Amino acid sequence: MKAPTIPSCSFPRGFKWGVAAAAPQIEGAARKDGKGESVWDHFARQPGRITGNANLDVACDHYHRFASDFALMRDLGVRRYRLSLAWPRILPNGDGAVNQAGIDFYHRLLDAMEAAEIEPWITMFHWDLPQALESRYGGWRSRRTVDAFARYADVIVQAYGRRVKHWITLNEMSSFTVLAHGVGERPPGIKSGEEVVNLTYHHALMAHGHGVRAVREYGGRGARVGLTDDAAIPVPIMESPPHIAAAQKAFRELNYRSLDPLFHGRFTSVYRRLAGPNAVRAQRGDFNLISMPTDFLGLNVYTGVYVRAGRGGRPEYLDFPASFPTADASWLRLVPQAMYWGPRLAQSVYGADEIYITENGAGYDDVPNADGEIVDLHRRQYIRQCLGELHRCIQHGVPVKGYFCWSFMDNFEWLDGYTKRFGLCYTDYATQRRIPKLSANWYAEIMRTNSLV
Ligand code: NOJ
């Protein structure tokens, strides 16, 4: 019997598919070739901070295995890879001498990517601040860290600008601002008040501005740059005008510290209302930097929060019931509609006119079966639902131009250590063998056909 054909669910021609990872989560070689300590190296060495007291010393040993990792990517048909550079490898003290061995390492890595015909999308900063900046200046609490970042951005864009055309300044500011200084559960792990949280956001946004400036100055022809944000995404409980209007208001309220200053180039009335007396006292020129025009907005989309129109149309945020479907990573409520509303609200509320999904995926405690295969139907299911929503979003005219799956392989998942695996490929940490999971082969087919299979 002939199998029936179904109409294809294609993405636009030229849609950019890729995979993502980040230096501190995969490289290891934490002390090799002159690398300085990062705040995460430092934090992980404090007992009790990370599940299983895991550290970043070896991770996926990508530092020594990048060539075979790229060969595997190539086998899977990966054409774009979002990676990050380790600031402490390039400038071990944050703002002192450049470590030539660090510069050379990424040249070798980029050579290998070029040979495998994989295009680099480089994140300048994926949370691994040089510990020296934390110890000397107080890290993101200080403008000296902004100055140090400006120099770091100049150094890397000058070094790699000839061969790298896609730059992302910062990854998910919330991690090293509100979660680090407000919640106090990420390095430096000190719980402070709102005033400090707002200040760290302001400094992060200024650093972003310097990243943009560096790409404009030294990036050469065709260089493009944007920020990757983890905007909190409200999902209207019903797709009807009053609830959508509430979601639009919620989008600004939830992201008032990041997207509002970035897109408006000033502290808006929404910011002032929500920050109150804890608002930052910006200096002259800060906002020129913060709101430098970018080429795209990166969104990391994992989850969302449901809202409905409450009294006077104000957004009312709904709690998740205990039995709401959730990944093994307990923060990851499975809300595929966030993939529709994230980009759509970024466009309608802030006018974002070119958007990339720079991360999406799901963390589970995968285990190989008796045959050594990882049949991760749960991950495939969630990513497929998200891609269905992304397809719908693009059909509705939202300018999403690409999608990067997090992550190429299981890696150091921050506070969760080596649990809560997000990889398309399984990392066997005892042997450092990579085993493509069922989802990797499925995603390979999506990239190959440019459609939802
Ligand atoms: C976002 C972060 O950028 C990445 O580093 C992390 O591993 C994933 N979320 C999953 O938590």
Side-chain angles (χ1 to χ4, degrees), residues 56-121:
L56 303 76
D57 290 1
V58 178
C60 304
D61 196 31
H62 180 69
Y63 190 84
H64 299 108
R65 294 167 194 264
F66 62 80
S68 51
D69 285 335
F70 296 147
L72 177 55
M73 278 188 201
R74 196 193 154 103
D75 286 350
L76 291 168
V78 173
R79 304 298 303 275
R80 279 162 215 92
Y81 170 42
R82 172 178 175 239
L83 67 154
S84 80
L85 306 185
W87 183 351
R89 230 180 252 301
I90 309 272
L91 291 152
N93 285 313
D95 59 359
V98 173
N99 175 30
Q100 190 56 41
I103 298 275
D104 294 346
F105 166 67
Y106 289 113
H107 271 305
R108 291 198 302 279
L109 188 136
L110 289 166
D111 288 343
M113 284 181 71
E114 227 165 85
E117 294 179 90
I118 300 167
E119 183 178 72
W121 286 55

Side-chain angles (χ1 to χ4, degrees), residues 286-349:
D286 287 1
F287 279 112
N288 296 339
L289 198 58
I290 288 173
S291 60
M292 297 250 316
T294 58
D295 300 304
F296 60 85
L297 174 68
L299 289 177
N300 289 354
V301 179
Y302 287 95
T303 187
V305 47
Y306 288 102
V307 298
R308 66 180 169 206
R311 196 171 314 151
R314 279 193 294 277
E316 189 189 323
Y317 300 91
L318 303 178
D319 289 336
F320 284 102
S323 31
F324 192 90
T326 305
D328 289 342
S330 59
W331 54 271
L332 209 170
R333 309 289 192 175
L334 302 171
V335 184
Q337 259 181 290
M339 190 57 97
Y340 179 90
W341 285 101
R344 176 143 183 198
L345 291 170
Q347 181 202 33
S348 67
V349 174

